[in-house]
Each structure stands twice: as structure tokens, then as C-alpha cells.
Amino acid sequence: MLVVALADEFGKRDALMSEQALIELLQQRFKRKPLPGLTPNWAEFSQRLAQHPDKLQALQWMQDSGGEPALIGLDEQSGECLIADYSAETPKGRRSLCYDDAALAERKEHKPAGSAVQLAAQYGLALLTEAEYQQLQQLGPLDQKSSSWLLTPAEIRAEGGAIFGDYRYGRVFIYHNGAQSYYAVRGFRAMLRL
């Protein structure tokens, strides 16, 4: 499957940093950019990571594909840590993908290497919702030269569309496009719950 091949390309073990180096990098981001109202204990956070090696693998992929994952909040109801791609632009290692596998199947020619939804799911991740994207943008303007596919409501997807967001002219914009479209500057940001 093309998506698996694409994921394998992004996940080459020889190009990855060690798990310890990744944890240290996350800790540096954690300390360097404390977010307003966010007071999780780093020891508790790293213990959660140690208990969920699959989540650590997902974080590793987020980092290696250019996402610069960072702790961006806590889910008030579940207590889960919310980790999202916090790179200035949509991750370079996840661009030129159509929205989902149904859209990929619809393309008759010039097919991209895969789809955003499938690639995220392969690592146990999800695309950001519109609300999560808006919240992430409040931490600082992102996607000023790129755009990111967003988890699309079923009624829009049923009509053949998908939504994406970016930041232009001092504000966040949410647009729509055909789900089968793909662009060199459009990728996706992922959310990991831990």
C-alpha cells in the first residue's frame, strides 16, 4: 500500500533520534515554552510516556516527519495530556497528501503518495479538529506559508469536500477543497492524547 511505503520512508530507524534524545527534546520544549494555565508535572508526563511505548513511537514519528510535537494542553475531563505538532509550518514530511483513502481512490491520475487521515491513523494519531486548530493558533501564528488538513465533519465529507486551515492577514482562516486535492504546501498536523 502506498501509505505504508510513505510511512516507512518517514520512519527509517537510521535517521531517527534515540527515544531518550526525543524525551529530552520534549522536556526542553516543555520547560522553554510553558503555556498559560498548563501545570502538568514533567515526571508524571514522562512516566505516562514510559507506560505507553506505542505513544512514544507516535511522538517519534511526529518529530521525524517535521512536526516538532509539544505539550499544548490538558483535557479537563479526562486529564489526558494533549500533544500536537507545533512546527511553524505544516510538517514537511507530511505534505502533498489528499485528505483520506476514499479521496485517494477517486483520483484517476497524478495520485499522491497517500492520504492524511490514513497516515495519521497508522500511528494512532488524529488530524486536528477545527476547534483544536483554532486553539493551537492562539499559542502563536502557525501555517503562515502553508496549510493543514483538518478533521472534516461527516456532512462536508459526504459531499466530497474536506476542510483545511492556515493563518493569513493576522487571522486564522478555515477553507474547503475537494478531498482528493493535494498541494506541495498542504500537510496535516496531528494530535496525540496521553
Side-chain angles (χ1 to χ4, degrees):
M1 177 183 241
L2 288 173
V3 174
V4 173
L6 183 63
D8 288 344
E9 179 182 328
F10 293 146
K12 291 178 183 170
R13 293 304 298 181
D14 59 351
L16 301 179
M17 64 175 57
S18 72
E19 289 180 356
Q20 185 57 39
L22 175 63
I23 291 171
E24 289 172 8
L25 180 62
L26 289 170
Q27 186 175 19
Q28 289 171 8
R29 287 182 188 146
F30 185 90
K31 290 179 177 177
R32 187 176 60 231
K33 280 194 169 179
L35 301 172
L38 187 61
T39 56
N41 177 304
W42 174 256
E44 179 186 339
F45 177 75
S46 60
Q47 184 177 20
R48 286 186 191 190
L49 274 177
Q51 293 171 346
H52 299 281
D54 58 321
K55 306 268 182 170
L56 188 56
Q57 182 184 17
L59 279 171
Q60 183 103 43
W61 181 79
M62 289 170 77
Q63 176 64 30
D64 293 332
S65 59
E68 300 177 25
L71 181 64
I72 61 153
L74 295 173
D75 186 307
E76 294 177 7
Q77 293 180 346
S78 69
E80 293 171 308
C81 295
L82 304 176
I83 304 158
D85 293 306
Y86 198 47
S87 53
E89 301 298 337
T90 197
K92 287 185 179 181
R94 302 183 225 155
R95 295 183 184 181
S96 296
L97 301 169
C98 62
Y99 178 73
D100 60 14
D101 279 358
L104 183 62
E106 288 174 17
R107 287 201 68 97
K108 301 301 179 210
E109 53 186 38
H110 308 296
K111 286 189 177 212
S115 76
V117 170
Q118 178 59 31
L119 190 54
Q122 191 168 334
Y123 288 92
L125 301 167
L127 274 62
L128 297 178
T129 65
E130 182 177 351
E132 290 167 342
Y133 188 76
Q134 294 277 9
Q135 183 180 18
L136 185 65
Q137 288 282 12
Q138 290 176 12
L139 304 176
L142 305 171
D143 291 338
Q144 296 183 77
K145 298 175 184 174
S146 59
S147 61
S148 295
W149 284 119
L150 302 174
L151 193 61
T152 299
E155 61 273 13
I156 295 173
R157 187 62 194 97
E159 296 291 328
I163 62 173
F164 65 95
D166 65 23
Y167 187 92
R168 304 287 195 275
Y169 309 111
R171 61 173 287 178
V172 177
F173 286 91
I174 305 298
Y175 308 90
H176 63 90
N177 219 173
Q180 75 282 1
S181 64
Y182 66 98
Y183 300 93
V185 295
R186 182 170 310 145
F188 71 92
R189 294 175 182 275
M191 175 74 75
L192 177 70
R193 292 174 169 269
L194 179 65

